Amino acid sequence: MKKVILLSVVFMSVFVSCKKEKEMEEMPAPSEEIVIEEPVSEECYSAIIKKDTISMSLNIKGNQIASGKLSYKFFEKDKNEGTLVGEIKGDTLFADYTFMSEGVSSIRQVAFLKKGNTYVEGYGDVVDDNKGRVTFKDMKQLKFEGNIVLSKVDCKM
């Protein structure tokens, strides 16, 4: 009787291990990681203040500004047009604005606070690194008092 029980246990063990090997063979091999791309959303904003026009377009991917454009067209002054690269932290957009003005390329840090369907430009003390880049002295001291408010508009095709 012991031999029958022992033989049954051995047979069942072999049967189960063979079945597991067969299941493992049938399972597909893990392929490369599946990468889910976050969609890029396009948003456009504009403000007309007396005879001045400010326009901003953003391509946002997650909390990053994948690309963007910012344009300041001041009446009877040289216009500033350039690109934005940065990120959104909470409800505030921080970006480097690379632009041409009077034939000179410059980089200036900008900040905009999102309020509903608007962005309010922030300002504060700045420092110049003497390499063509101007940054805010203290990000915590920025003021968003509504002097320049960009409202959401349809993006032009």
Side-chain angles (χ1 to χ4, degrees), residues 18-67:
C18 288
K19 187 173 181 177
K20 282 186 181 179
E21 282 180 24
K22 188 174 181 181
E23 286 175 1
M24 293 293 282
E25 289 174 6
E26 292 175 3
M27 289 181 65
S31 61
E32 295 179 23
E33 287 186 32
I34 298 172
V35 178
I36 299 173
E37 287 286 323
E38 289 188 54
V40 176
S41 65
E42 182 180 24
E43 297 180 5
C44 297
Y45 298 84
S46 182
I48 298 173
I49 304 165
K50 296 183 183 177
K51 294 184 179 183
D52 301 331
T53 304
I54 301 153
S55 302
M56 179 170 65
S57 66
L58 305 171
N59 290 314
I60 302 170
K61 185 175 183 179
N63 65 344
Q64 298 293 312
I65 305 301
S67 65

Side-chain angles (χ1 to χ4, degrees), residues 70 110 142 149 157:
L70 182 60
V110 294
L142 292 178
V149 179
M157 295 292 172

Side-chain angles (χ1 to χ4, degrees), residues 106-125:
S106 301
I107 300 172
R108 178 171 62 93
Q109 191 174 36
V110 294
F112 292 90
L113 178 65
K114 185 150 189 176
K115 291 185 176 182
N117 282 332
T118 66
Y119 271 109
V120 179
E121 187 169 16
Y123 64 93
D125 292 337

Side-chain angles (χ1 to χ4, degrees), residues 7 9 19 35-36 63 65 69 103-104 113 116 132 138 150-151:
L7 190 59
V9 169
K19 187 173 181 177
V35 178
I36 299 173
N63 65 344
I65 305 301
K69 292 183 180 182
V104 177
L113 178 65
D138 184 356
L150 304 173
S151 299

Side-chain angles (χ1 to χ4, degrees), residues 69-152:
K69 292 183 180 182
L70 182 60
S71 171
Y72 293 91
K73 294 178 183 171
F74 296 115
F75 182 67
E76 295 184 344
K77 292 184 181 177
D78 285 344
K79 65 181 176 181
N80 296 342
E81 288 185 320
T83 59
L84 292 173
V85 176
E87 65 182 332
I88 298 171
K89 293 182 181 179
D91 57 358
T92 309
L93 180 156
F94 296 101
D96 283 339
Y97 172 47
T98 305
F99 63 99
M100 292 292 292
S101 179
E102 298 181 9
V104 177
S105 179
S106 301
I107 300 172
R108 178 171 62 93
Q109 191 174 36
V110 294
F112 292 90
L113 178 65
K114 185 150 189 176
K115 291 185 176 182
N117 282 332
T118 66
Y119 271 109
V120 179
E121 187 169 16
Y123 64 93
D125 292 337
V126 294
V127 291
D128 188 342
D129 68 0
N130 294 321
K131 297 177 185 173
R133 186 164 194 261
V134 176
T135 58
F136 291 113
K137 190 173 187 177
D138 184 356
M139 302 292 270
K140 295 176 185 172
Q141 297 295 319
L142 292 178
K143 294 182 174 113
F144 300 92
E145 295 180 353
N147 296 336
I148 297 178
V149 179
L150 304 173
S151 299
K152 192 168 191 173

